[in-house]
Amino acid sequence: MGGAFLAAAVLARLGGRIGLPTIPLFILAGILLGPHTPGLVLVADPHDLEMLSLLGLVLLLFSLGLEFPVDDLKAGGRRMALAGGAYLTLNVGAGLGFGFALGWGTSEALVLAGVLGISSSAIVTKVLVDTGRLGNPETKPILGIIVVEDVFLALYLAALQPVLSGADSLAAAAPAAGKAFGFLLLLAAAARWGTRITGRLIATRDSELLVISFLGAAVLVAGISEWFGVADAIGAFMVGLMLGGTSSGGRIRKLVHPLRDAFGALFFFAFGLSIDPGDLPGVVGPVLLAVALTLVMNVLAGLVAARIHGFGPEPAANIATALLARGEFALILATMAAGAGLDERLPPFIAGYVLILAVLGPLAAGRAGLPARLLPGGGARPGGGGPAPAAVSPPARSAAAPGRR
């Protein structure tokens, strides 16, 4: 674990000198020092870091929940749901069509629909932190899309499992899907009405006790969420929503940052460990086509989300590039596909697709000003073109974002 931290730090420092974001460098460190690459093997079995990497994912989403109290979500909930639904319709629909076009099989097409349709919550969160956009108005639509994706993710996994296991119909998925949806409603109700009680329970002047309390709450709810068939990350996110609105919220935000950064780096390193570069050459063509399709669909989804919220081309580009990366959910589907005995080309395809977008996403997000100028209305002033100019992200913040790591 110490070697993983240091390797990630050294590569990130070197890449930072030429302006590269940290996420792809953390992943590259895992690839270079993993079991699938010749040379020094730091971690022979990626599962050795599995629990610690999951802790990184939980802390990333918990931290994101802290930044967006429940009141912020209530203010634009309908528009966020519309933007999230539009994003899923475009990307999942395109992924399903792409899967059928490949001709690998119906089950494979259903897997590819999820792979191409769902963003990486962990990478999106890290991109928002690294680019300094957590306070931007267009970050709320991004958050809404992530939440809608996570709800869809829980139900999709529950419905897909019996299909991959050879069930005759989706009826077998109904009990699992109902359990997941019911727990999601419980979490939402707790986030909506349980903030005052939670604040009293967690309040303490002792920073040590506060760290132990919020860390225990985030990890416990994440684990319970997974047991109910809901993504562990969304459970941690909901805990962050609740605690962010308490009187201890400001202190928790400050205390969680070093934990989030450290274990978040380990999450991306472990992600790199799972990628075998030797499997990629045989699926290069389909991978590049899928990447191109995702780029187009994300631009369209960014434009739709920006239009729903009254934003112009610059926020639309920020939305499109921030949500571009694919990650942990795609890898879960790759594991499920391998266990179900689906087409053997599917796991290396998913690995190559995820690797390219995990690198391209943060790079594009840090340079969103360039695609913004190519969008309709992009020749106007930054952030312009919408009916509500005051709601658009301030030019100074956006201009400074690409230089931050």
Side-chain angles (χ1 to χ4, degrees):
M1 187 176 72
F5 277 129
L6 289 177
V10 169
L11 274 181
R13 283 173 176 266
L14 293 175
R17 296 180 182 273
I18 56 176
L20 292 178
T22 58
I23 294 171
L25 295 169
F26 293 155
I27 295 172
L28 179 61
I31 294 174
L32 294 177
L33 298 175
H36 307 298
T37 304
L40 175 63
V41 177
L42 184 64
V43 182
D45 185 357
H47 293 292
D48 289 344
L49 294 180
E50 184 175 14
M51 184 61 70
L52 292 172
S53 69
L54 287 176
L55 180 59
L57 176 62
V58 164
L59 288 171
L60 281 167
L61 271 294
F62 171 74
S63 177
L64 184 63
L66 287 172
E67 300 291 344
F68 293 90
V70 178
D71 290 341
D72 288 352
L73 286 176
K74 288 189 295 182
R78 180 175 176 273
R79 290 188 295 178
M80 289 181 184
L82 286 174
Y87 187 91
L88 284 173
T89 299
L90 288 169
N91 284 274
V92 174
L96 184 62
F98 179 80
F100 281 121
L102 284 180
W104 291 356
T106 300
S107 295
E108 286 80 359
L110 291 172
V111 170
L112 288 172
V115 170
L116 272 65
I118 306 294
S119 306
S120 167
S121 298
I123 297 180
V124 171
T125 304
K126 190 69 163 60
V127 164
L128 293 175
V129 172
D130 286 356
T131 55
R133 294 178 188 159
L134 284 175
N136 283 18
E138 71 270 14
T139 298
K140 291 183 181 180
I142 295 172
L143 169 67
I145 291 171
I146 289 176
V147 173
V148 172
E149 282 185 326
D150 282 336
V151 173
F152 174 81
L153 181 155
L155 300 178
Y156 191 74
L157 280 179
L160 189 61
Q161 183 60 53
V163 175
L164 296 184
S165 62
D168 294 333
S169 69
L170 294 178
K179 183 174 72 171
F181 187 69
F183 187 69
L184 281 172
L185 291 178
L186 180 62
L187 286 178
R192 173 65 178 85
W193 291 289
T195 301
R196 181 175 299 180
I197 297 175
T198 305
R200 291 177 181 174
L201 291 175
I202 204 167
T204 176
R205 295 182 179 179
D206 190 321
S207 293
E208 179 184 12
L209 293 180
L210 186 60
V211 169
I212 294 171
S213 299
F214 74 69
L215 186 61
V219 174
L220 178 63
V221 174
I224 295 173
S225 299
E226 189 174 29
W227 186 81
F228 274 96
V230 176
D232 48 10
I234 196 173
F237 175 83
M238 289 296 188
V239 175
L241 280 180
M242 283 187 282
L243 298 186
T246 67
S247 59
S248 303
R251 291 173 60 208
I252 294 174
R253 292 185 191 95
K254 182 178 179 181
L255 292 168
V256 78
H257 282 177
L259 292 170
R260 178 201 66 194
D261 292 342
F263 288 97
L266 205 60
F267 170 80
F268 295 113
F269 179 89
F271 177 47
L273 292 175
S274 65
I275 296 175
D276 185 352
D279 292 337
L280 303 181
V283 291
V284 168
V287 165
L288 294 179
L289 287 175
V291 168
L293 178 62
T294 302
L295 287 171
V296 173
M297 289 298 105
N298 261 56
V299 170
L300 291 176
L303 287 170
V304 171
R307 179 64 62 88
I308 290 172
H309 288 79
F311 293 150
E314 185 178 342
N318 286 343
I319 294 170
T321 55
L323 292 166
L324 183 59
R326 302 296 188 260
E328 60 277 2
F329 178 55
L331 296 181
I332 291 172
L333 287 175
T335 302
M336 291 174 62
L342 300 187
D343 195 297
E344 61 182 12
R345 293 169 292 185
L346 203 53
F349 168 88
I350 294 174
Y353 171 77
V354 168
L355 177 61
I356 290 176
L357 287 182
V359 173
L360 185 60
L363 288 173
R367 294 158 177 82
L370 178 60
R373 290 194 290 270
L374 303 177
L375 296 178
R381 63 178 177 79
V392 178
S393 56
R397 180 187 294 274
S398 298
R404 297 187 59 178
R405 287 187 294 109

